Amino acid sequence: MVSSKFFSIFATSNRFLMKKILFFIAALMSASFAEAAVSLHQLFQSGMVLQRGKAIPVWGKADANETVTVAFNKKQYRAVADAEGRWRIDLPKMKAGGPYTLEVSGAAGEPVTLTDVLIGDVWLCSGQSNIDVHIERVYPQYADEIDNYENTQIRLFRVQNDTDTHGPRTDIKPTAINWKPLNKQNAWPFSAVGYFLGKRMFQETGVPQGVIVNSWGGTPIEAWISADSLRRDYPMLLKRTAMYQNDEYVKAQSRANAEANKQWDFLLNQADATKDYIQPDYDDSGWTTINQNDWSWRGTGSVWLRQHININKEHARKPARLLLGTLFDQDVTYVNGQEVGHTYYQYPPRRYDIPEGLLREGDNVITVRFINKYGAAHFIPEKPYMLCFGDDRLSQNPMPQDVIPLSATWKQHDGVGMPSCPSGDVSLQNLPTTLYNAVLHPLAPYALSGVVWYQGESNTGNPAPYADYLKKLMGCWRDRWQDQQMPFVIVQLANYDGRQQTGFPRPITPQTEPVNSGWAQLREAQRTTAKADPRAALAVINDLGETVDIHPLRKKEVAERIALCFDRLVYNKKVNLSPEVVTAEVKDGKIILTLDQPIQPGELFSFEIAGDDGKFHNAQATASGSSITILPPPSSLLPPRAIRYAWKDNPLQANVRSLGGLPMSSFELKVAE
């Protein structure tokens, strides 16, 4: 028999070994507990908003067959995890309120405790870049409001972008904006539409608001639709996605794209004389004089521009903001040799802050280095180009009072000419089903009040199938939530001159003659789909766009029109939305349109009619009460067969409005004989 003295000696002489053994055992126990601990879906975080008036699904993971307990609002609820460890508990319908604590516990491990949980209304905002345009981008439009408003009853959640070519996932990635209360700091990188929608709905209802934004710029609608919905009618779309189910191929393509960009940048920067051209005393007298609105000076690679501007004693050494409109594509901008801003792609407005002391009395030099990996460098017209001074220099609504306009004339010098940068980018987010799989499917069945769908710009090149795509999207999302009554607000495309995307070589003149616009065709698909669905509504914004900017900045007004739609769909309020045509018929040689509400009277524009040959011609029209009278067409168009309204990419002349000021959607209708 071994004595206790032996163990004492062994333990003393092997204390280090014993410590290692004990640490190993503790680590095993810790890992075991960690594996056994119950977990929640990423949507469930402290500060979250749960939907009032509906059953509230709560779900997550645990060990197989483990009993999970959820404690909430003084009651407990239990469920047993299935063989794969999935569990779900549906809390009963509750009224708005909070804050509450939600605690989830299993058979082992520490319970998960979520605090500051509110019950109110939850909105899902999805689509492409216009739903994602941040508060930072639109801030100058609403500076005072954003500076002076915060509300802890409105919570913001941003789904982290991700893709999956293989199939639906069960959870999303962790995200930085996870049920943050609404204030300027938290909203700065958040959707402007989501921000203003949450604020408007809180003002309307007085209950907590949760806004989930799930969007990705430039993505087509097909990326957001399930494979099951596309399989029968669009099998070729699924084959496109299947091409990228080889992860090694995707990685290789991504690496190749990164290396191509790296090499392109290296060759450009190696040859570009950046240090010389930015100096304020550099002699640019030999450079070519150009006008920024004449695009003949453009070129791929780098282009240098310099502008001398005289600053008087009153403005010298004062802080300022330089507005450089919007530029295509990249720019690095310097003032008196110091970099004041750098933007890596075309869409963001260039708003560069000039620090105190940099501007001097007399001659100052603004230097812009354009960098274009494809296409050609150019200024976007109709944007502000100026130096702004004073306390209101950050605002653009209204514009600052103390400004010095820039000249449209610049000194120009070619930097380094380059071929277009080759791209091997696979852009998985643009493939059918990839976003549905990765970031939409996992959100269900989180209880919602309604969905905002703000997308379509990326489908204007092929608008024909869009109505069917949109119907399938709403159908598969409702199926996923098991809620066929789920309300959808479809935000129609804003006015925008689509020719801007083609690199049109000079400022574009408005379209006045009939044209078969792809943007109008897609708007029509949005209109007819919404009209055919009793749980959908159309937010018409064809007066809130910008001719030269695919990302218009008046997002508060967009959110207001979305909210009006939800007033009708969710709260059953009797509100007038945009005017709609009820009937179109010929009477006494005139075409009479009867609308669903009175409209502003007077002469109307942007109407077109077609006869048997199907060719459209401009037509005169007037409004009175709830009807529109289109004057007798030429005899060559008799009998009239069809009528169109606002059938342009950018229908600036369209002026049919409700008495409350809402614009009528573009449309194409057959005329009853």
Side-chain angles (χ1 to χ4, degrees), residues 278-343:
I278 68 174
Q279 302 305 324
D281 56 356
Y282 177 81
D283 182 7
D284 56 26
S285 59
W287 286 21
T288 303
T289 300
I290 60 100
N291 186 292
Q292 70 183 44
N293 296 317
D294 176 1
W295 294 359
S296 60
W297 51 269
R298 58 195 186 143
T300 304
S302 65
V303 178
W304 289 86
L305 301 180
R306 286 168 58 93
Q307 178 168 152
H308 294 258
I309 187 166
N310 188 272
I311 300 295
N312 59 25
K313 184 176 181 180
E314 178 186 357
H315 293 104
R317 307 193 64 80
K318 297 284 183 66
R321 169 162 281 196
L322 172 63
L323 301 183
L324 267 183
T326 306
L327 309 175
F328 184 92
D329 182 38
Q330 300 183 41
D331 75 284
V332 188
T333 297
Y334 307 84
V335 172
N336 291 338
Q338 180 175 321
E339 183 178 332
V340 295
H342 188 170
T343 304

Side-chain angles (χ1 to χ4, degrees), residues 328-542:
F328 184 92
D329 182 38
Q330 300 183 41
D331 75 284
V332 188
T333 297
Y334 307 84
V335 172
N336 291 338
Q338 180 175 321
E339 183 178 332
V340 295
H342 188 170
T343 304
Y344 292 91
Y345 65 111
Q346 68 183 92
Y347 294 118
R350 273 56 170 181
R351 303 169 185 145
Y352 297 146
D353 290 320
I354 300 175
E356 183 177 0
L358 183 57
L359 293 173
R360 59 198 184 193
E361 185 177 357
D363 184 60
N364 294 258
V365 180
I366 300 169
T367 307
V368 180
R369 183 193 186 205
F370 273 97
I371 303 170
N372 282 65
K373 292 190 173 182
Y374 67 96
H378 59 270
F379 291 79
I380 303 300
E382 301 181 24
K383 292 290 185 177
Y385 296 90
M386 60 185 67
L387 276 173
C388 305
F389 297 86
D391 293 339
D392 63 349
R393 66 184 182 276
L394 304 184
S395 174
Q396 286 180 237
N397 188 26
M399 288 297 295
Q401 296 298 304
D402 189 1
V403 302
I404 300 176
L406 299 186
S407 171
T409 301
W410 295 77
K411 289 285 190 175
Q412 178 264 331
H413 180 73
D414 288 337
V416 179
M418 294 284 290
S420 294
C421 182
S423 175
D425 187 7
V426 295
S427 300
L428 295 180
Q429 73 275 12
N430 295 330
L431 295 175
T433 77
T434 55
L435 297 181
Y436 176 88
N437 291 341
V439 294
L440 191 283
H441 183 275
L443 299 185
Y446 199 89
L448 304 173
S449 194
V451 176
V452 178
W453 179 248
Y454 191 173
Q455 189 276 340
E457 295 89 346
S458 290
N459 289 90
T460 54
N462 181 27
Y466 193 86
D468 191 41
Y469 286 161
L470 185 52
K471 181 180 177 181
K472 290 182 185 302
L473 179 136
M474 292 192 292
C476 71
W477 288 26
R478 285 170 173 155
D479 287 346
R480 178 65 187 130
W481 263 265
Q482 297 183 334
D483 180 5
Q484 297 305 311
Q485 300 302 309
M486 178 183 285
F488 272 80
V489 172
I490 300 164
V491 184
Q492 200 179 46
L493 290 183
N495 54 300
Y496 166 71
D497 199 319
R499 292 175 294 173
Q500 291 286 342
Q501 293 178 301
T502 66
F504 204 75
R506 58 186 59 84
I508 296 172
T509 56
Q511 294 172 324
T512 56
E513 295 303 311
V515 60
N516 198 19
S517 159
W519 283 67
Q521 291 177 62
L522 197 133
R523 291 188 193 106
E524 182 71 348
Q526 293 171 319
R527 183 188 74 84
T528 56
T529 304
K531 188 175 180 63
D533 190 319
R535 297 298 296 158
L538 186 70
V540 180
I541 60 167
N542 58 22

Side-chain angles (χ1 to χ4, degrees), residues 549-569:
D549 198 335
I550 202 169
H551 301 119
L553 300 180
R554 295 171 62 188
K555 299 305 186 192
K556 179 180 179 180
E557 292 83 347
V558 174
E560 174 63 29
R561 294 184 189 175
I562 294 169
L564 284 173
C565 294
F566 281 134
D567 285 347
R568 176 186 286 187
L569 289 173

